[in-house]
Amino acid sequence: MKKQKTDGIVINNKKARFEYEILDTYTAGIVLTGTEIKSVRLSKVSLVDTYCTEINGELWVKNMNIAQYFYGSYNNHAAKRDRKLLLTKKELRSLIHDAATPGLTIVPLKVFINEKGLAKMVIGLARGKKEYDKRESIKENDDRREMANAFKKTIIIG
């Protein structure tokens, strides 16, 4: 996977990586209106409870909350409207085919502004984690945190 350069604006969906095991990732463009892109550039985006669905052969993101632009007039956008994602035909066909498999879903992982100033979304083909997988993830994070703290203490003392 190629590393994306961002303009400093990155909104992550932390809960998605905890709730799902990510099998594959894709970078998609987002169709936005003028006031929406201004709100994204101000990091006024929430990916909580956001998901992707296929409608008429196109991929749409649902429940993505982009706050209304403060300086917007009567033309301001609806905060939770459905937004179309832009992928190549090959990627779209592959993603929709894979998501049709029982147990797999498409979840948004992050939204960012690329070097050209365009809003992009990283989406992932994901499988839901079981309860014991989540406990294992929590234990790994705790162990990693404890090792980092122990390492810091040895550097300070030593």
Side-chain angles (χ1 to χ4, degrees):
M1 182 171 74
K2 194 169 90 172
K3 189 86 168 170
Q4 293 101 2
K5 287 176 83 178
T6 62
D7 200 24
I9 295 148
V10 178
I11 296 98
N12 287 310
N13 188 355
K14 296 175 187 173
K15 196 170 185 179
R17 296 218 183 251
F18 179 72
E19 295 284 336
Y20 299 98
E21 172 191 355
I22 308 302
L23 305 175
D24 198 8
T25 60
Y26 298 87
T27 302
I30 312 171
V31 177
L32 298 174
T33 63
T35 54
E36 286 176 330
I37 189 64
K38 291 177 181 186
S39 289
V40 170
R41 288 190 178 124
L42 293 173
S43 299
K44 303 289 185 184
V45 180
S46 174
L47 295 176
V48 176
D49 296 332
T50 305
Y51 63 97
C52 297
T53 186
E54 180 260 334
I55 300 171
N56 295 330
E58 297 174 333
L59 199 61
W60 292 78
V61 63
K62 300 221 177 222
N63 286 344
M64 184 167 89
N65 186 12
I66 298 179
Q68 289 194 343
Y69 185 58
F70 180 74
Y71 298 107
S73 62
Y74 61 91
N75 296 13
N76 230 337
H77 63 277
K80 282 204 168 196
R81 73 175 186 88
D82 299 343
R83 293 165 180 94
K84 185 177 174 181
L85 296 179
L86 305 172
L87 291 160
T88 64
K89 284 184 181 180
K90 183 178 178 183
E91 288 176 331
L92 190 58
R93 235 179 289 127
S94 169
L95 193 58
I96 291 172
H97 178 266
D98 291 343
T101 306
L104 295 183
T105 187
I106 305 167
V107 293
L109 301 175
K110 72 177 167 181
V111 173
F112 66 94
I113 304 290
N114 71 358
E115 62 275 355
K116 293 181 181 179
L118 303 173
K120 300 286 184 175
M121 177 181 278
V122 176
I123 56 175
L125 184 65
R127 177 182 294 123
K129 284 185 180 178
K130 304 285 188 209
E131 190 65 36
Y132 57 84
D133 290 334
K134 292 178 188 176
R135 286 193 299 260
E136 191 175 301
S137 295
I138 292 170
K139 187 175 185 307
E140 287 175 6
N141 288 341
D142 289 344
D143 291 345
R144 198 174 300 123
R145 195 175 307 114
E146 286 177 17
M147 287 184 355
N149 287 339
F151 185 70
K152 287 179 186 176
K153 288 179 183 177
T154 58
I155 291 176
I156 292 170
I157 295 171

PDB file of all heavy atoms in Angstrom, residues 13-47:
ATOM      1  N   ASN A  13     -10.959   7.041  12.117  1.00  0.00           N
ATOM      2  CA  ASN A  13     -12.061   6.312  12.722  1.00  0.00           C
ATOM      3  C   ASN A  13     -11.432   5.244  13.611  1.00  0.00           C
ATOM      4  O   ASN A  13     -11.208   4.120  13.186  1.00  0.00           O
ATOM      5  CB  ASN A  13     -12.945   5.685  11.637  1.00  0.00           C
ATOM      6  CG  ASN A  13     -14.202   5.080  12.185  1.00  0.00           C
ATOM      7  OD1 ASN A  13     -14.415   5.036  13.386  1.00  0.00           O
ATOM      8  ND2 ASN A  13     -15.047   4.601  11.286  1.00  0.00           N
ATOM      9  N   LYS A  14     -11.107   5.625  14.851  1.00  0.00           N
ATOM     10  CA  LYS A  14     -10.394   4.730  15.758  1.00  0.00           C
ATOM     11  C   LYS A  14     -11.221   3.507  16.118  1.00  0.00           C
ATOM     12  O   LYS A  14     -10.691   2.415  16.287  1.00  0.00           O
ATOM     13  CB  LYS A  14     -10.008   5.480  17.035  1.00  0.00           C
ATOM     14  CG  LYS A  14      -9.029   6.599  16.799  1.00  0.00           C
ATOM     15  CD  LYS A  14      -8.773   7.373  18.060  1.00  0.00           C
ATOM     16  CE  LYS A  14      -7.926   8.602  17.768  1.00  0.00           C
ATOM     17  NZ  LYS A  14      -7.789   9.454  18.933  1.00  0.00           N
ATOM     18  N   LYS A  15     -12.511   3.693  16.227  1.00  0.00           N
ATOM     19  CA  LYS A  15     -13.390   2.600  16.630  1.00  0.00           C
ATOM     20  C   LYS A  15     -13.425   1.492  15.570  1.00  0.00           C
ATOM     21  O   LYS A  15     -13.587   0.316  15.898  1.00  0.00           O
ATOM     22  CB  LYS A  15     -14.794   3.143  16.886  1.00  0.00           C
ATOM     23  CG  LYS A  15     -15.669   2.208  17.651  1.00  0.00           C
ATOM     24  CD  LYS A  15     -16.953   2.888  18.083  1.00  0.00           C
ATOM     25  CE  LYS A  15     -17.769   1.962  18.953  1.00  0.00           C
ATOM     26  NZ  LYS A  15     -18.998   2.579  19.397  1.00  0.00           N
ATOM     27  N   ALA A  16     -13.268   1.853  14.299  1.00  0.00           N
ATOM     28  CA  ALA A  16     -13.323   0.859  13.226  1.00  0.00           C
ATOM     29  C   ALA A  16     -12.203  -0.165  13.364  1.00  0.00           C
ATOM     30  O   ALA A  16     -12.426  -1.360  13.171  1.00  0.00           O
ATOM     31  CB  ALA A  16     -13.242   1.544  11.868  1.00  0.00           C
ATOM     32  N   ARG A  17     -11.008   0.287  13.691  1.00  0.00           N
ATOM     33  CA  ARG A  17      -9.890  -0.655  13.831  1.00  0.00           C
ATOM     34  C   ARG A  17     -10.051  -1.542  15.051  1.00  0.00           C
ATOM     35  O   ARG A  17      -9.506  -2.636  15.098  1.00  0.00           O
ATOM     36  CB  ARG A  17      -8.572   0.101  13.891  1.00  0.00           C
ATOM     37  CG  ARG A  17      -8.308   0.844  12.593  1.00  0.00           C
ATOM     38  CD  ARG A  17      -6.852   0.812  12.223  1.00  0.00           C
ATOM     39  NE  ARG A  17      -6.641   1.591  11.029  1.00  0.00           N
ATOM     40  CZ  ARG A  17      -6.351   1.055   9.851  1.00  0.00           C
ATOM     41  NH1 ARG A  17      -6.261  -0.231   9.721  1.00  0.00           N
ATOM     42  NH2 ARG A  17      -6.149   1.828   8.813  1.00  0.00           N
ATOM     43  N   PHE A  18     -10.798  -1.068  16.060  1.00  0.00           N
ATOM     44  CA  PHE A  18     -11.057  -1.882  17.247  1.00  0.00           C
ATOM     45  C   PHE A  18     -12.178  -2.890  16.978  1.00  0.00           C
ATOM     46  O   PHE A  18     -12.084  -4.050  17.372  1.00  0.00           O
ATOM     47  CB  PHE A  18     -11.428  -0.985  18.428  1.00  0.00           C
ATOM     48  CG  PHE A  18     -11.743  -1.744  19.682  1.00  0.00           C
ATOM     49  CD1 PHE A  18     -10.737  -2.362  20.405  1.00  0.00           C
ATOM     50  CD2 PHE A  18     -13.046  -1.851  20.132  1.00  0.00           C
ATOM     51  CE1 PHE A  18     -11.020  -3.071  21.547  1.00  0.00           C
ATOM     52  CE2 PHE A  18     -13.345  -2.555  21.275  1.00  0.00           C
ATOM     53  CZ  PHE A  18     -12.325  -3.173  21.989  1.00  0.00           C
ATOM     54  N   GLU A  19     -13.220  -2.457  16.296  1.00  0.00           N
ATOM     55  CA  GLU A  19     -14.395  -3.301  16.066  1.00  0.00           C
ATOM     56  C   GLU A  19     -14.206  -4.295  14.917  1.00  0.00           C
ATOM     57  O   GLU A  19     -14.862  -5.328  14.888  1.00  0.00           O
ATOM     58  CB  GLU A  19     -15.615  -2.430  15.741  1.00  0.00           C
ATOM     59  CG  GLU A  19     -16.071  -1.544  16.870  1.00  0.00           C
ATOM     60  CD  GLU A  19     -16.818  -2.292  17.948  1.00  0.00           C
ATOM     61  OE1 GLU A  19     -17.387  -3.358  17.651  1.00  0.00           O
ATOM     62  OE2 GLU A  19     -16.810  -1.800  19.087  1.00  0.00           O
ATOM     63  N   TYR A  20     -13.328  -3.974  13.953  1.00  0.00           N
ATOM     64  CA  TYR A  20     -13.187  -4.788  12.747  1.00  0.00           C
ATOM     65  C   TYR A  20     -11.742  -5.183  12.502  1.00  0.00           C
ATOM     66  O   TYR A  20     -10.816  -4.467  12.854  1.00  0.00           O
ATOM     67  CB  TYR A  20     -13.679  -4.018  11.513  1.00  0.00           C
ATOM     68  CG  TYR A  20     -15.128  -3.634  11.566  1.00  0.00           C
ATOM     69  CD1 TYR A  20     -15.520  -2.358  11.959  1.00  0.00           C
ATOM     70  CD2 TYR A  20     -16.122  -4.543  11.224  1.00  0.00           C
ATOM     71  CE1 TYR A  20     -16.844  -1.999  12.004  1.00  0.00           C
ATOM     72  CE2 TYR A  20     -17.452  -4.194  11.263  1.00  0.00           C
ATOM     73  CZ  TYR A  20     -17.819  -2.916  11.658  1.00  0.00           C
ATOM     74  OH  TYR A  20     -19.123  -2.568  11.703  1.00  0.00           O
ATOM     75  N   GLU A  21     -11.591  -6.321  11.842  1.00  0.00           N
ATOM     76  CA  GLU A  21     -10.294  -6.753  11.324  1.00  0.00           C
ATOM     77  C   GLU A  21     -10.260  -6.295   9.865  1.00  0.00           C
ATOM     78  O   GLU A  21     -11.091  -6.702   9.052  1.00  0.00           O
ATOM     79  CB  GLU A  21     -10.200  -8.278  11.417  1.00  0.00           C
ATOM     80  CG  GLU A  21      -9.006  -8.863  10.751  1.00  0.00           C
ATOM     81  CD  GLU A  21      -9.094 -10.383  10.651  1.00  0.00           C
ATOM     82  OE1 GLU A  21     -10.049 -10.975  11.184  1.00  0.00           O
ATOM     83  OE2 GLU A  21      -8.203 -10.960  10.019  1.00  0.00           O
ATOM     84  N   ILE A  22      -9.318  -5.414   9.529  1.00  0.00           N
ATOM     85  CA  ILE A  22      -9.255  -4.825   8.188  1.00  0.00           C
ATOM     86  C   ILE A  22      -8.495  -5.779   7.267  1.00  0.00           C
ATOM     87  O   ILE A  22      -7.336  -6.100   7.512  1.00  0.00           O
ATOM     88  CB  ILE A  22      -8.565  -3.442   8.225  1.00  0.00           C
ATOM     89  CG1 ILE A  22      -9.208  -2.532   9.278  1.00  0.00           C
ATOM     90  CG2 ILE A  22      -8.588  -2.803   6.841  1.00  0.00           C
ATOM     91  CD1 ILE A  22     -10.676  -2.281   9.093  1.00  0.00           C
ATOM     92  N   LEU A  23      -9.152  -6.212   6.188  1.00  0.00           N
ATOM     93  CA  LEU A  23      -8.553  -7.156   5.255  1.00  0.00           C
ATOM     94  C   LEU A  23      -7.866  -6.467   4.080  1.00  0.00           C
ATOM     95  O   LEU A  23      -6.835  -6.931   3.604  1.00  0.00           O
ATOM     96  CB  LEU A  23      -9.627  -8.116   4.730  1.00  0.00           C
ATOM     97  CG  LEU A  23     -10.426  -8.874   5.794  1.00  0.00           C
ATOM     98  CD1 LEU A  23     -11.525  -9.684   5.144  1.00  0.00           C
ATOM     99  CD2 LEU A  23      -9.506  -9.758   6.611  1.00  0.00           C
ATOM    100  N   ASP A  24      -8.449  -5.360   3.599  1.00  0.00           N
ATOM    101  CA  ASP A  24      -7.901  -4.654   2.445  1.00  0.00           C
ATOM    102  C   ASP A  24      -8.330  -3.189   2.522  1.00  0.00           C
ATOM    103  O   ASP A  24      -9.394  -2.891   3.064  1.00  0.00           O
ATOM    104  CB  ASP A  24      -8.436  -5.285   1.156  1.00  0.00           C
ATOM    105  CG  ASP A  24      -7.615  -4.931  -0.066  1.00  0.00           C
ATOM    106  OD1 ASP A  24      -6.538  -4.319   0.102  1.00  0.00           O
ATOM    107  OD2 ASP A  24      -8.035  -5.265  -1.185  1.00  0.00           O
ATOM    108  N   THR A  25      -7.514  -2.282   1.996  1.00  0.00           N
ATOM    109  CA  THR A  25      -7.868  -0.863   2.036  1.00  0.00           C
ATOM    110  C   THR A  25      -7.847  -0.270   0.631  1.00  0.00           C
ATOM    111  O   THR A  25      -7.102  -0.726  -0.241  1.00  0.00           O
ATOM    112  CB  THR A  25      -6.910  -0.052   2.929  1.00  0.00           C
ATOM    113  OG1 THR A  25      -5.581  -0.178   2.418  1.00  0.00           O
ATOM    114  CG2 THR A  25      -6.966  -0.509   4.369  1.00  0.00           C
ATOM    115  N   TYR A  26      -8.673   0.740   0.440  1.00  0.00           N
ATOM    116  CA  TYR A  26      -8.776   1.478  -0.815  1.00  0.00           C
ATOM    117  C   TYR A  26      -8.846   2.966  -0.488  1.00  0.00           C
ATOM    118  O   TYR A  26      -9.398   3.351   0.546  1.00  0.00           O
ATOM    119  CB  TYR A  26     -10.044   1.094  -1.588  1.00  0.00           C
ATOM    120  CG  TYR A  26     -10.117  -0.346  -2.014  1.00  0.00           C
ATOM    121  CD1 TYR A  26     -10.644  -1.315  -1.171  1.00  0.00           C
ATOM    122  CD2 TYR A  26      -9.676  -0.744  -3.259  1.00  0.00           C
ATOM    123  CE1 TYR A  26     -10.721  -2.640  -1.555  1.00  0.00           C
ATOM    124  CE2 TYR A  26      -9.753  -2.066  -3.663  1.00  0.00           C
ATOM    125  CZ  TYR A  26     -10.277  -3.011  -2.807  1.00  0.00           C
ATOM    126  OH  TYR A  26     -10.350  -4.320  -3.199  1.00  0.00           O
ATOM    127  N   THR A  27      -8.338   3.797  -1.381  1.00  0.00           N
ATOM    128  CA  THR A  27      -8.465   5.249  -1.236  1.00  0.00           C
ATOM    129  C   THR A  27      -9.470   5.737  -2.273  1.00  0.00           C
ATOM    130  O   THR A  27      -9.306   5.491  -3.465  1.00  0.00           O
ATOM    131  CB  THR A  27      -7.113   5.947  -1.448  1.00  0.00           C
ATOM    132  OG1 THR A  27      -6.178   5.430  -0.514  1.00  0.00           O
ATOM    133  CG2 THR A  27      -7.245   7.439  -1.243  1.00  0.00           C
ATOM    134  N   ALA A  28     -10.514   6.408  -1.786  1.00  0.00           N
ATOM    135  CA  ALA A  28     -11.581   6.876  -2.659  1.00  0.00           C
ATOM    136  C   ALA A  28     -11.744   8.380  -2.529  1.00  0.00           C
ATOM    137  O   ALA A  28     -11.536   8.949  -1.465  1.00  0.00           O
ATOM    138  CB  ALA A  28     -12.897   6.185  -2.279  1.00  0.00           C
ATOM    139  N   GLY A  29     -12.145   9.014  -3.611  1.00  0.00           N
ATOM    140  CA  GLY A  29     -12.499  10.423  -3.569  1.00  0.00           C
ATOM    141  C   GLY A  29     -13.908  10.562  -3.016  1.00  0.00           C
ATOM    142  O   GLY A  29     -14.696   9.619  -3.043  1.00  0.00           O
ATOM    143  N   ILE A  30     -14.237  11.750  -2.516  1.00  0.00           N
ATOM    144  CA  ILE A  30     -15.570  12.005  -1.976  1.00  0.00           C
ATOM    145  C   ILE A  30     -16.176  13.168  -2.766  1.00  0.00           C
ATOM    146  O   ILE A  30     -15.514  14.183  -2.978  1.00  0.00           O
ATOM    147  CB  ILE A  30     -15.520  12.399  -0.486  1.00  0.00           C
ATOM    148  CG1 ILE A  30     -14.659  11.450   0.315  1.00  0.00           C
ATOM    149  CG2 ILE A  30     -16.926  12.453   0.094  1.00  0.00           C
ATOM    150  CD1 ILE A  30     -14.422  11.924   1.740  1.00  0.00           C
ATOM    151  N   VAL A  31     -17.435  13.032  -3.161  1.00  0.00           N
ATOM    152  CA  VAL A  31     -18.138  14.116  -3.847  1.00  0.00           C
ATOM    153  C   VAL A  31     -18.699  15.034  -2.772  1.00  0.00           C
ATOM    154  O   VAL A  31     -19.563  14.639  -1.993  1.00  0.00           O
ATOM    155  CB  VAL A  31     -19.265  13.576  -4.751  1.00  0.00           C
ATOM    156  CG1 VAL A  31     -20.025  14.716  -5.390  1.00  0.00           C
ATOM    157  CG2 VAL A  31     -18.694  12.649  -5.809  1.00  0.00           C
ATOM    158  N   LEU A  32     -18.178  16.270  -2.702  1.00  0.00           N
ATOM    159  CA  LEU A  32     -18.586  17.235  -1.680  1.00  0.00           C
ATOM    160  C   LEU A  32     -19.037  18.536  -2.327  1.00  0.00           C
ATOM    161  O   LEU A  32     -18.628  18.861  -3.443  1.00  0.00           O
ATOM    162  CB  LEU A  32     -17.414  17.533  -0.736  1.00  0.00           C
ATOM    163  CG  LEU A  32     -16.853  16.382   0.081  1.00  0.00           C
ATOM    164  CD1 LEU A  32     -15.624  16.825   0.848  1.00  0.00           C
ATOM    165  CD2 LEU A  32     -17.891  15.827   1.019  1.00  0.00           C
ATOM    166  N   THR A  33     -19.849  19.301  -1.589  1.00  0.00           N
ATOM    167  CA  THR A  33     -20.238  20.633  -2.044  1.00  0.00           C
ATOM    168  C   THR A  33     -19.236  21.644  -1.494  1.00  0.00           C
ATOM    169  O   THR A  33     -18.338  21.290  -0.727  1.00  0.00           O
ATOM    170  CB  THR A  33     -21.658  20.988  -1.552  1.00  0.00           C
ATOM    171  OG1 THR A  33     -21.644  21.026  -0.129  1.00  0.00           O
ATOM    172  CG2 THR A  33     -22.680  19.991  -2.035  1.00  0.00           C
ATOM    173  N   GLY A  34     -19.393  22.908  -1.844  1.00  0.00           N
ATOM    174  CA  GLY A  34     -18.444  23.951  -1.452  1.00  0.00           C
ATOM    175  C   GLY A  34     -18.304  24.130   0.045  1.00  0.00           C
ATOM    176  O   GLY A  34     -17.193  24.213   0.582  1.00  0.00           O
ATOM    177  N   THR A  35     -19.430  24.187   0.762  1.00  0.00           N
ATOM    178  CA  THR A  35     -19.333  24.390   2.208  1.00  0.00           C
ATOM    179  C   THR A  35     -18.847  23.134   2.925  1.00  0.00           C
ATOM    180  O   THR A  35     -18.254  23.223   3.989  1.00  0.00           O
ATOM    181  CB  THR A  35     -20.680  24.834   2.799  1.00  0.00           C
ATOM    182  OG1 THR A  35     -21.693  23.894   2.435  1.00  0.00           O
ATOM    183  CG2 THR A  35     -21.066  26.209   2.294  1.00  0.00           C
ATOM    184  N   GLU A  36     -19.089  21.957   2.331  1.00  0.00           N
ATOM    185  CA  GLU A  36     -18.613  20.714   2.948  1.00  0.00           C
ATOM    186  C   GLU A  36     -17.090  20.643   2.935  1.00  0.00           C
ATOM    187  O   GLU A  36     -16.479  20.293   3.945  1.00  0.00           O
ATOM    188  CB  GLU A  36     -19.200  19.505   2.210  1.00  0.00           C
ATOM    189  CG  GLU A  36     -20.647  19.264   2.507  1.00  0.00           C
ATOM    190  CD  GLU A  36     -21.235  18.130   1.697  1.00  0.00           C
ATOM    191  OE1 GLU A  36     -20.780  17.876   0.569  1.00  0.00           O
ATOM    192  OE2 GLU A  36     -22.169  17.499   2.207  1.00  0.00           O
ATOM    193  N   ILE A  37     -16.465  20.973   1.830  1.00  0.00           N
ATOM    194  CA  ILE A  37     -15.007  20.900   1.759  1.00  0.00           C
ATOM    195  C   ILE A  37     -14.372  21.915   2.701  1.00  0.00           C
ATOM    196  O   ILE A  37     -13.334  21.653   3.312  1.00  0.00           O
ATOM    197  CB  ILE A  37     -14.478  21.050   0.310  1.00  0.00           C
ATOM    198  CG1 ILE A  37     -12.974  20.755   0.222  1.00  0.00           C
ATOM    199  CG2 ILE A  37     -14.770  22.401  -0.255  1.00  0.00           C
ATOM    200  CD1 ILE A  37     -12.592  19.348   0.550  1.00  0.00           C
ATOM    201  N   LYS A  38     -15.026  23.062   2.880  1.00  0.00           N
ATOM    202  CA  LYS A  38     -14.506  24.055   3.823  1.00  0.00           C
ATOM    203  C   LYS A  38     -14.565  23.521   5.249  1.00  0.00           C
ATOM    204  O   LYS A  38     -13.648  23.728   6.038  1.00  0.00           O
ATOM    205  CB  LYS A  38     -15.283  25.367   3.698  1.00  0.00           C
ATOM    206  CG  LYS A  38     -15.006  26.084   2.389  1.00  0.00           C
ATOM    207  CD  LYS A  38     -15.832  27.323   2.241  1.00  0.00           C
ATOM    208  CE  LYS A  38     -15.537  27.981   0.898  1.00  0.00           C
ATOM    209  NZ  LYS A  38     -16.223  29.266   0.759  1.00  0.00           N
ATOM    210  N   SER A  39     -15.629  22.812   5.599  1.00  0.00           N
ATOM    211  CA  SER A  39     -15.739  22.207   6.930  1.00  0.00           C
ATOM    212  C   SER A  39     -14.723  21.089   7.107  1.00  0.00           C
ATOM    213  O   SER A  39     -14.157  20.929   8.193  1.00  0.00           O
ATOM    214  CB  SER A  39     -17.150  21.668   7.164  1.00  0.00           C
ATOM    215  OG  SER A  39     -18.065  22.713   7.310  1.00  0.00           O
ATOM    216  N   VAL A  40     -14.474  20.314   6.058  1.00  0.00           N
ATOM    217  CA  VAL A  40     -13.472  19.240   6.140  1.00  0.00           C
ATOM    218  C   VAL A  40     -12.094  19.844   6.380  1.00  0.00           C
ATOM    219  O   VAL A  40     -11.318  19.346   7.188  1.00  0.00           O
ATOM    220  CB  VAL A  40     -13.475  18.368   4.863  1.00  0.00           C
ATOM    221  CG1 VAL A  40     -12.292  17.425   4.848  1.00  0.00           C
ATOM    222  CG2 VAL A  40     -14.774  17.586   4.763  1.00  0.00           C
ATOM    223  N   ARG A  41     -11.788  20.949   5.714  1.00  0.00           N
ATOM    224  CA  ARG A  41     -10.492  21.606   5.904  1.00  0.00           C
ATOM    225  C   ARG A  41     -10.340  22.166   7.311  1.00  0.00           C
ATOM    226  O   ARG A  41      -9.227  22.377   7.782  1.00  0.00           O
ATOM    227  CB  ARG A  41     -10.303  22.710   4.875  1.00  0.00           C
ATOM    228  CG  ARG A  41     -10.050  22.150   3.493  1.00  0.00           C
ATOM    229  CD  ARG A  41      -9.625  23.206   2.503  1.00  0.00           C
ATOM    230  NE  ARG A  41      -9.369  22.591   1.224  1.00  0.00           N
ATOM    231  CZ  ARG A  41      -9.953  22.949   0.092  1.00  0.00           C
ATOM    232  NH1 ARG A  41     -10.825  23.939   0.080  1.00  0.00           N
ATOM    233  NH2 ARG A  41      -9.677  22.331  -1.033  1.00  0.00           N
ATOM    234  N   LEU A  42     -11.466  22.398   8.000  1.00  0.00           N
ATOM    235  CA  LEU A  42     -11.430  22.838   9.400  1.00  0.00           C
ATOM    236  C   LEU A  42     -11.518  21.657  10.368  1.00  0.00           C
ATOM    237  O   LEU A  42     -11.653  21.851  11.565  1.00  0.00           O
ATOM    238  CB  LEU A  42     -12.590  23.807   9.671  1.00  0.00           C
ATOM    239  CG  LEU A  42     -12.530  25.146   8.955  1.00  0.00           C
ATOM    240  CD1 LEU A  42     -13.814  25.927   9.178  1.00  0.00           C
ATOM    241  CD2 LEU A  42     -11.328  25.947   9.415  1.00  0.00           C
ATOM    242  N   SER A  43     -11.445  20.423   9.850  1.00  0.00           N
ATOM    243  CA  SER A  43     -11.516  19.169  10.628  1.00  0.00           C
ATOM    244  C   SER A  43     -12.837  19.018  11.369  1.00  0.00           C
ATOM    245  O   SER A  43     -12.872  18.464  12.461  1.00  0.00           O
ATOM    246  CB  SER A  43     -10.354  19.071  11.613  1.00  0.00           C
ATOM    247  OG  SER A  43      -9.130  19.063  10.937  1.00  0.00           O
ATOM    248  N   LYS A  44     -13.915  19.464  10.792  1.00  0.00           N
ATOM    249  CA  LYS A  44     -15.238  19.360  11.408  1.00  0.00           C
ATOM    250  C   LYS A  44     -15.975  18.130  10.876  1.00  0.00           C
ATOM    251  O   LYS A  44     -17.096  18.212  10.394  1.00  0.00           O
ATOM    252  CB  LYS A  44     -16.068  20.619  11.124  1.00  0.00           C
ATOM    253  CG  LYS A  44     -15.432  21.895  11.572  1.00  0.00           C
ATOM    254  CD  LYS A  44     -15.433  21.989  13.078  1.00  0.00           C
ATOM    255  CE  LYS A  44     -14.893  23.349  13.501  1.00  0.00           C
ATOM    256  NZ  LYS A  44     -14.789  23.475  14.916  1.00  0.00           N
ATOM    257  N   VAL A  45     -15.328  16.959  10.965  1.00  0.00           N
ATOM    258  CA  VAL A  45     -15.876  15.715  10.439  1.00  0.00           C
ATOM    259  C   VAL A  45     -15.905  14.671  11.539  1.00  0.00           C
ATOM    260  O   VAL A  45     -14.971  14.569  12.328  1.00  0.00           O
ATOM    261  CB  VAL A  45     -15.017  15.197   9.263  1.00  0.00           C
ATOM    262  CG1 VAL A  45     -15.570  13.899   8.712  1.00  0.00           C
ATOM    263  CG2 VAL A  45     -14.925  16.228   8.172  1.00  0.00           C
ATOM    264  N   SER A  46     -16.972  13.889  11.579  1.00  0.00           N
ATOM    265  CA  SER A  46     -17.081  12.777  12.516  1.00  0.00           C
ATOM    266  C   SER A  46     -17.398  11.501  11.740  1.00  0.00           C
ATOM    267  O   SER A  46     -18.329  11.477  10.925  1.00  0.00           O
ATOM    268  CB  SER A  46     -18.182  13.042  13.541  1.00  0.00           C
ATOM    269  OG  SER A  46     -18.369  11.910  14.351  1.00  0.00           O
ATOM    270  N   LEU A  47     -16.637  10.445  12.004  1.00  0.00           N
ATOM    271  CA  LEU A  47     -16.844   9.167  11.334  1.00  0.00           C
ATOM    272  C   LEU A  47     -17.506   8.136  12.250  1.00  0.00           C
ATOM    273  O   LEU A  47     -17.514   6.953  11.936  1.00  0.00           O
ATOM    274  CB  LEU A  47     -15.501   8.625  10.827  1.00  0.00           C
ATOM    275  CG  LEU A  47     -14.816   9.453   9.750  1.00  0.00           C
ATOM    276  CD1 LEU A  47     -13.458   8.877   9.401  1.00  0.00           C
ATOM    277  CD2 LEU A  47     -15.669   9.550   8.513  1.00  0.00           C
TER     278      LEU A  47
END
